[in-house]
């Protein structure tokens, strides 16, 4: 049976194979944080000793959560809202919450990508002059002293941001395989080669050894500090693109027989390997910078925007082969940012496409054009940097942790879905999972995420945020983060379009808990207006796999505007195309 006949909306497309999927997943995971965040986090949290909690976090949270996202997306074959809805209708709001987070991140991510693109060009002439800090803040961004919202546009940044959005529009319009898959298959190997060359040059600079010693000299006493372990889990969590809905969406584009657990291992270790490579390159360059200035590495080490757009231009101005280092560094930053931005916007496109039943081209236009308009209105301005700062802190750092914590708790304590999802992973993968995976995904991860969330909440409530005005933080920080939850709930209550079969056909039974849904199970009632899922409970020890897709046993339920004859004919045609007899049940479940 063709998988296409079982899917509608966004999941009607697919990667050509596992390799394309891995490139796309790595492209999403390897982003700005790998280059400008990990090196300083490692340096500031024990140096070489940090690699121990970092590896523990990768194995006990990063890869298990990656597998969890893969299982939800691949089993339920849809965007984040649709996949969660198919898992259990009460969970649809979580998918919209994740999609809303992607909306906000996409708005400001484009302007950072624009900076990287322009600084790649600036590297040829070293346009920042003798004072990169003053150039970036005063000449380039012209940052307003007043923390507010203004519309004084910085036209070079505006144009570069518009170009970034246009590139995203083109790639996403080309589709999953020809657009997302191919661009990642080109840019990710190119990114790695560029960074390897840059690292090779950086290692030859005077003082490079001092920078590497500062990074890798272990401070063993740091292992007794809980904040170091939280930093390790936070770095893994944010760098692997879990909790965004990205990996759920990408996994929905995989073919039914696709290795999932092995792919998660490849993506997880590839992402971490690139982070370590970035750490070597960045601190070798910082070692040179410290040596040239006659100071310690601790006085020049920084992260984020300060590292990328202030420290590195200083290095480029003074280092041999500075122009080449600059082009490679900022070019790699632009490629990493672009592949990540594609994945972020694709989550939104897939969700809107499923909900409204749109074609890809229409959905891309409906999503990208308004996003670009809002992004260009607020961020390439003299007040855009402060807005970027506060929205990133509250929606990205705070919002994603909260959304992930809620989703993990609902999948474990709420609906006991882990056995079902584990069985699905094992049904298509060679690397089998057991009780250990359920323990780390369902017990260790929620504890860590809960600790991170409480820590961030107490810190921001006690100290405020970066001395910004309370009204600004309340509106664009707390207000934005809280507003996404309300909007997600409202979107989950809207009806699905008549124009998409995806809303009415599920390739796998929903997960119902024998206790929470006992009335529905005993009375054979549908718990949504549309009966799009079979009645199943992991507590009743049923088996779950993709064999319903492969064997052509998916039952298409009747939509309100269809008669029984339409549904019967569709089911019979689907069964004939698979060479299977027509059946009235889904893996033995009641209609």
């Amino acid at each position: 049976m063709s998988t296409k006949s079982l899917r509608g909306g966004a999941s009607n497309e697919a990667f050509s194979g596992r390799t394309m999927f891995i490139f796309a997943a790595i492209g999403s995971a390897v982003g700005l944080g790998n280059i400008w965040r990990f090196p300083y986090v490692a340096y500031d949290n024990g140096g070489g000793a940090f690699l121990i909690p970092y590896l523990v976090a990768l194995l006990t949270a990063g890869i298990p959560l990656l597998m969890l996202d893969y299982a939800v997306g691949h089993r339920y074959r849809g965007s984040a809202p649709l996949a969660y809805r198919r898992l259990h209708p009460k969970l649809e709001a979580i998918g919209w919450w994740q999609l809303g987070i992607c909306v906000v991140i996409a708005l400001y991510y484009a302007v950072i990508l624009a900076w990287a693109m322009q600084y790649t060009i600036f590297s040829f002439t070293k346009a920042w002059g003798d004072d990169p800090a003053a150039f970036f803040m005063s000449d380039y961004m012209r940052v307003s002293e007043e923390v507010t919202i203004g519309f004084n546009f910085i036209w070079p940044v505006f144009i570069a941001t518009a170009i970034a959005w246009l590139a995203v529009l083109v790639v996403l319009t080309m589709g999953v395989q020809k657009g997302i898959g191919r661009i990642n298959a080109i840019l990710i190997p190119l990114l790695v080669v560029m960074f390897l060359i840059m690292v090779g040059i950086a290692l030859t600079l005077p003082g490079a050894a001092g920078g590497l010693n500062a990074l890798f000299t272990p401070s063993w006493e740091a292992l007794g500090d809980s904040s170091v372990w939280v930093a390790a889990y936070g770095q893994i969590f944010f760098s692997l693109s879990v909790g965004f809905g990205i990996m759920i969406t990408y996994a929905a584009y995989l073919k039914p027989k696709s290795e999932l657990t092995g792919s998660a291992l490849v993506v997880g270790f590839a992402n971490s390997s690139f982070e370590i490579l970035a750490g070597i390159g960045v601190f070798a360059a910082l070692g040179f910078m410290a040596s040239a200035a006659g100071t310690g590495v601790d006085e020049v080490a920084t992260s984020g925007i300060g590292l990328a757009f202030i420290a590195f231009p200083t290095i480029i101005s003074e280092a041999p082969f500075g122009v080449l280092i600059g082009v490679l560094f900022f070019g790699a930053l632009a490629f990493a940012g672009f592949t990540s931005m594609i994945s972020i916007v694709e989550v939104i496109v897939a969700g809107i496409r499923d909900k409204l039943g749109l074609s890809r081209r229409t959905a891309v236009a409906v999503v990208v054009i308004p996003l670009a308009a809002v992004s260009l209105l607020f961020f390439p301005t003299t007040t855009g940097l402060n807005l970027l700062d506060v929205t990133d802190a509250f929606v990205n750092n705070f919002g994603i942790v909260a959304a992930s914590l809620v989703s993990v708790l609902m999948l474990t304590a709420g609906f006991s879905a882990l056995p079902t999802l584990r069985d699905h992973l094992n049904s298509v993968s060679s690397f089998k999972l057991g009780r250990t995976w359920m323990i780390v995904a369902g017990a260790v991860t929620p504890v860590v995420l809960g600790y991170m969330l409480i820590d961030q909440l107490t810190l921001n409530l006690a100290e405020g945020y970066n001395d910004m005005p309370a009204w600004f933080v309340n509106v664009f920080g707390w207000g934005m983060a809280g507003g996404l939850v309300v909007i997600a709930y409202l979107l989950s209550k809207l009806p699905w379009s008549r124009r998409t079969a995806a809303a009415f056909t599920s390739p796998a039974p929903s997960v119902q808990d024998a206790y929470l849904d006992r009335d529905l199970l005993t009375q054979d009632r549908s718990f949504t207006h549309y009966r799009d899922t079979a009645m199943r409970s992991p507590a009743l020890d049923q088996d779950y796999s993709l064999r319903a897709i492969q064997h052509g046993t998916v039952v298409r339920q009747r939509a309100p505007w269809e008669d029984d004859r339409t549904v019967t004919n569709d089911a019979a045609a689907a069964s004939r195309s698979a060479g299977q007899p027509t059946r009235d049940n889904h893996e033995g479940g009641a209609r």
Side-chain angles (χ1 to χ4, degrees):
M1 184 179 201
S2 169
T3 60
K4 184 174 180 179
S5 65
L6 300 176
R7 296 175 285 165
S11 56
N12 202 29
E13 299 180 271
F15 290 112
S16 61
R18 181 186 173 207
T19 301
M20 281 295 191
F21 166 76
I22 289 176
F23 273 126
I26 292 175
S28 174
V30 174
L32 302 175
N34 298 65
I35 298 173
W36 74 22
R37 189 175 188 271
F38 170 79
Y40 184 77
V41 169
Y43 167 75
D44 197 42
N45 288 277
F50 179 77
L51 295 179
I52 294 176
Y54 178 79
L55 181 61
V56 172
L58 175 65
L59 296 177
T60 62
I63 292 177
L65 277 180
L66 204 56
M67 293 177 178
L68 186 63
D69 277 358
Y70 286 0
V72 173
H74 189 250
R75 177 175 168 79
Y76 293 102
R77 319 295 290 182
S79 59
L82 181 58
Y84 276 114
R85 178 182 188 271
R86 284 174 165 175
L87 195 155
H88 196 288
K90 294 180 180 179
L91 298 182
E92 182 184 333
I94 295 177
W96 289 112
W97 189 3
Q98 293 179 345
L99 186 147
I101 290 171
C102 287
V103 168
V104 177
I105 294 175
L107 293 176
Y108 66 76
Y109 211 88
V111 77
I112 302 175
L113 178 56
W115 300 343
M117 291 161 53
Q118 289 197 293
Y119 264 70
T120 304
I121 299 173
F122 291 164
S123 297
F124 287 101
T125 61
K126 302 176 183 177
W128 45 76
D130 297 329
D131 192 347
F135 174 82
F136 180 76
M137 300 299 290
S138 300
D139 299 334
Y140 181 61
M141 290 300 298
R142 305 203 306 270
V143 178
S144 172
E145 294 182 1
E146 184 180 6
V147 180
T148 185
I149 296 296
F151 301 101
N152 296 319
F153 294 104
I154 308 165
W155 291 110
V157 180
F158 183 97
I159 294 171
T161 306
I163 293 172
W165 277 112
L166 180 61
V168 170
L169 177 69
V170 170
V171 170
L172 292 183
T173 301
M174 293 171 65
V176 171
Q177 173 62 21
K178 294 182 179 179
I180 298 172
R182 286 184 181 175
I183 199 69
N184 279 282
I186 294 170
L187 293 187
I188 293 305
L190 186 58
L191 167 64
V192 173
V193 170
M194 291 170 63
F195 223 82
L196 283 172
I197 295 172
M198 194 214 77
V199 170
I201 297 173
L203 290 174
T204 66
L205 297 176
L212 295 181
N213 286 335
L215 174 62
F216 289 112
T217 298
S219 176
W220 299 113
E221 63 273 13
L223 297 180
D225 187 349
S226 61
S227 65
V228 171
W229 290 83
V230 172
Y233 277 91
Q235 177 61 33
I236 286 293
F237 178 75
F238 289 115
S239 69
L240 274 181
S241 295
V242 291
F244 292 74
I246 294 173
M247 294 306 175
I248 291 176
T249 303
Y250 275 4
Y253 298 144
L254 273 170
K255 296 178 180 179
K257 288 186 177 180
S258 296
E259 173 77 34
L260 295 180
T261 56
S263 298
L265 292 172
V266 172
V267 172
F269 282 106
N271 175 73
S272 294
S273 298
F274 187 85
E275 287 194 322
I276 294 173
L277 177 66
I280 293 171
V282 166
F283 267 83
L286 290 176
F288 164 76
M289 181 179 176
S291 176
T295 62
V297 175
D298 60 318
E299 295 187 31
V300 298
T302 184
S303 65
I305 293 173
L307 171 68
F309 300 103
I310 296 175
F312 251 85
T314 303
I315 295 167
I316 293 163
S317 294
E318 300 176 356
F321 307 105
V323 171
L324 181 57
I325 292 175
V327 171
L328 292 173
F329 176 79
F330 287 112
L333 203 65
F335 287 165
F338 185 63
T339 55
S340 294
M341 186 174 172
I342 287 172
S343 67
I344 292 168
V345 180
E346 176 62 19
V347 172
I348 310 165
V349 170
I352 297 301
R353 189 179 177 193
D354 277 340
K355 190 76 171 182
L356 302 181
L358 305 175
S359 67
R360 167 161 285 276
R361 289 189 176 185
T362 303
V364 170
V366 165
V367 168
V368 173
I369 293 174
L371 282 179
V374 175
S375 176
L376 291 168
L377 180 64
F378 288 101
F379 289 98
T381 65
T382 56
T383 57
L385 187 59
N386 289 322
L387 180 60
L388 185 156
D389 185 19
V390 74
T391 52
D392 178 66
F394 283 84
V395 175
N396 188 359
N397 297 341
F398 172 74
I400 291 174
V401 172
S404 295
L405 176 61
V406 171
S407 65
V408 172
L409 288 176
M410 292 302 290
L411 293 179
T412 54
F415 294 99
S416 306
L418 288 190
T420 298
L421 299 175
R422 177 203 59 193
D423 290 346
H424 176 81
L425 289 168
N426 289 340
S427 71
V428 296
S429 304
S430 56
F431 179 79
K432 305 300 182 183
L433 304 177
R435 186 168 297 177
T436 302
W437 176 77
M438 292 195 293
I439 292 173
V440 294
V444 175
T445 299
V447 170
V448 174
L449 291 176
Y451 185 92
M452 290 169 58
L453 186 62
I454 293 171
D455 183 61
Q456 291 180 27
L457 277 172
T458 53
L459 181 65
N460 287 330
L461 288 172
E463 301 179 6
Y465 184 74
N466 282 1
D467 297 323
M468 289 187 176
W471 75 267
F472 192 80
V473 174
N474 289 337
V475 172
F476 298 103
W478 297 111
M480 190 81 74
L484 291 179
V485 179
V486 176
I487 293 171
Y489 174 78
L490 295 177
L491 287 173
S492 70
K493 297 301 179 183
L494 295 178
W496 291 74
S497 170
R498 295 186 178 191
R499 292 171 293 186
T500 176
F504 304 101
T505 306
S506 179
S510 64
V511 173
Q512 293 185 352
D513 186 83
Y515 178 76
L516 294 175
D517 297 312
R518 61 188 183 278
D519 290 338
L520 301 171
L521 289 165
T522 56
Q523 299 177 33
D524 189 25
R525 290 180 182 174
S526 172
F527 55 142
T528 56
H529 184 64
Y530 308 116
R531 299 193 55 184
D532 59 341
T533 53
M535 299 295 187
R536 282 291 181 267
S537 169
L540 301 181
D541 205 24
Q542 279 101 358
D543 176 44
Y544 295 91
S545 70
L546 272 178
R547 69 176 183 273
I549 292 179
Q550 296 166 305
H551 294 169
T553 57
V554 171
V555 173
R556 181 154 185 267
Q557 303 293 347
R558 182 174 65 83
W561 54 85
E562 297 176 321
D563 56 30
D564 291 328
R565 183 181 303 174
T566 302
V567 177
T568 302
N569 291 339
D570 286 349
S575 295
R576 286 194 299 271
S577 68
Q580 298 290 332
T582 304
R583 296 177 61 175
D584 289 332
N585 63 348
H586 184 305
E587 297 186 310
R591 282 195 56 145

